[in-house]
Amino acid sequence: MIVDYHMHLRAPDESIDHSVEGVERYVETAAARGVDEIGFTEHVYYFEQTRSLWSVPYQLAHCQYDIEPYVEAVVEAKRRGHPVKLGLEVDHQPHLAEEMNEILDPYPWDYLVGSVHYVDGLAIDQEPSMVEEVGPREAWRRYYDWLVDASKRFDVLAHPDLVKMYGAQIEWDWDGLADSLDGACLEVSSAGLHKPHRELYPNAGLLAAAQERDIPITLASDAHVPGNVGRDLDRAIEHARAAGYETVTVFDRRERRQEPLG
């Protein structure tokens, strides 16, 4: 089984396209590339229903769309028999977790992906980054504290070592981190191959520690246009197999099961 469980619903020109036709463009690419099932995970801060939760200018600038057309587009594509799942990438803020739950609870999510892009207003993957503001070790500590909290609340952790985007790569207690994770799958993502560090997510140390503790995985390209669906998933699968994984997680209405890794 090959899944691509992290993508954002856009037209080929990268404009927002929360429509059934937009979904079907992604489905066509997935089929051509041998991807069995895809999941859409729009950024939660794009939706005006969440405006009260944001203080970062970047998030507020994007918070202008209604969530209903997005949900309806994916649900209708499922009704038509397409192998798609309804998800959401949720920027985690521990102090606002309950408010976020109240906003998202009414919708029929198949899974929710937790991510950490900002910690206390400091950016993880944009410059100037938190690493530049407070130094690598302190930035990593804060990032992973928030990631551990996210693992208690979401089905999947997106690009779970995103903090390596900028600054020095430093030694970390991957076994201790894996011991602290609570319930969420790890996303094995090819997106990092197209970032400045040119590395898969997560690093081999974290992925091996997770496998030893039976923490399940999903696969992801983080596609932002239809043409990137499934991009470099062969590398992600190879990465997962090297860590000892033989199965991948499939979701349906927040329930998960394991399938043989394609």
Side-chain angles (χ1 to χ4, degrees):
M1 182 86 172
I2 299 176
V3 302
D4 189 343
Y5 267 3
H6 187 152
M7 58 190 64
H8 303 275
L9 192 49
R10 306 282 189 271
D13 65 358
E14 300 192 29
S15 62
I16 295 294
D17 186 5
H18 294 160
S19 69
V20 179
E21 293 73 23
V23 171
E24 290 177 336
R25 282 193 287 269
Y26 281 73
V27 171
E28 289 171 3
T29 303
R33 293 182 175 169
V35 178
D36 299 296
E37 185 170 274
I38 60 176
F40 292 93
T41 53
E42 187 57 275
H43 290 290
V44 70
Y45 57 78
Y46 272 67
F47 298 119
E48 58 191 15
Q49 285 83 352
T50 67
R51 175 172 289 276
S52 64
L53 304 182
W54 312 120
S55 58
V56 173
Y58 179 87
Q59 294 169 322
L60 284 169
H62 287 81
C63 190
Q64 55 184 294
Y65 300 94
D66 185 1
I67 199 171
E68 299 290 344
Y70 168 70
V71 171
E72 290 170 6
V74 181
V75 169
E76 173 59 19
K78 291 174 69 173
R79 190 191 67 78
R80 295 182 185 184
H82 295 307
V84 300
K85 293 297 169 68
L86 176 63
L88 198 67
E89 182 178 359
V90 182
D91 274 40
H92 183 48
Q93 300 180 97
H95 61 295
L96 295 174
E98 296 309 315
E99 290 89 333
M100 183 67 79
N101 286 343
E102 290 179 8
I103 294 169
L104 300 183
D105 276 349
Y107 301 100
W109 311 111
D110 289 304
Y111 61 98
L112 293 175
V113 175
S115 62
V116 178
H117 289 98
Y118 294 90
V119 174
D120 295 327
L122 297 176
I124 303 301
D125 60 342
Q126 298 181 46
E127 293 188 289
S129 72
M130 185 169 68
V131 170
E132 296 167 300
E133 297 279 349
V134 304
R137 187 158 296 278
E138 177 62 12
W140 286 40
R141 183 193 66 79
R142 295 187 195 181
Y143 172 82
Y144 286 119
D145 282 351
W146 279 38
L147 193 76
V148 167
D149 190 73
S151 75
K152 304 171 186 177
R153 305 175 187 274
F154 299 103
D155 303 298
V156 182
L157 296 178
H159 35 63
D161 58 341
L162 185 67
V163 72
K164 71 186 179 186
M165 178 77 77
Y166 296 109
Q169 301 295 308
I170 60 179
E171 293 185 7
W172 206 254
D173 180 9
W174 302 120
D175 289 317
L177 175 59
D179 282 334
S180 300
L181 297 176
D182 184 13
C185 302
L186 290 189
E187 177 185 271
V188 182
S189 172
S190 61
L193 296 173
H194 305 277
K195 301 299 182 182
H197 50 75
R198 302 290 182 183
E199 297 178 4
L200 294 152
Y201 299 116
N203 68 81
L206 176 53
L207 191 58
Q211 195 279 332
E212 290 173 1
R213 290 155 180 81
D214 295 322
I215 297 173
I217 60 168
T218 62
L219 300 172
S221 67
D222 205 344
H224 281 65
V225 292
N228 288 343
V229 176
R231 181 171 62 167
D232 295 320
L233 280 191
D234 57 333
R235 297 276 300 277
I237 292 169
E238 180 182 2
H239 189 47
R241 288 196 179 280
Y245 281 95
E246 298 180 353
T247 64
V248 67
T249 310
V250 175
F251 283 98
D252 185 36
R253 295 300 298 268
R254 308 292 300 274
E255 297 291 333
R256 68 191 188 191
R257 70 180 190 275
Q258 296 302 304
E259 295 286 348
L261 180 61

